[in-house]
């Protein structure tokens, strides 16, 4: 995987918090920030998908059993 560099401006105290937290979990600051950022994005996308599904369910609350879904699509 090709990598690129991103610069992040932090107060020294913020950098120390990140470094301490990452070290606690055996990670570099880079690994921790990458993991945290991607996790946040995934959480946001999951929330959007849930909201869409909830809107769809609220519009038509009929549910199907697993057998009914299998019969319909398989």
């Amino acid at each position: 995987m090709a990598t690129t560099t991103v610069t992040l401006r932090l107060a020294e105290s913020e950098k120390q918090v990140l470094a301490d937290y990452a070290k606690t979990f055996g990670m570099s600051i880079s690994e921790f920030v990458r993991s945290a950022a991607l996790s946040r994005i995934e959480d946001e996308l999951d929330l959007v998908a849930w909201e869409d599904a909830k809107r769809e369910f609220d519009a038509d609350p009929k549910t199907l059993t697993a057998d009914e879904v299998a019969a319909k699509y398989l």
Side-chain angles (χ1 to χ4, degrees), residues 4 6 19 25 38-39 42 44 47 55-56 67:
T4 187
V6 174
F25 293 96
L38 292 174
S39 180
E42 182 180 4
E44 293 289 332
L47 179 59
R55 252 189 313 282
E56 184 179 324
D67 290 337

Side-chain angles (χ1 to χ4, degrees), residues 44-58:
E44 293 289 332
L45 293 173
D46 287 347
L47 179 59
V48 168
W50 180 86
E51 288 169 342
D52 290 345
K54 177 76 166 99
R55 252 189 313 282
E56 184 179 324
F57 177 77
D58 288 345

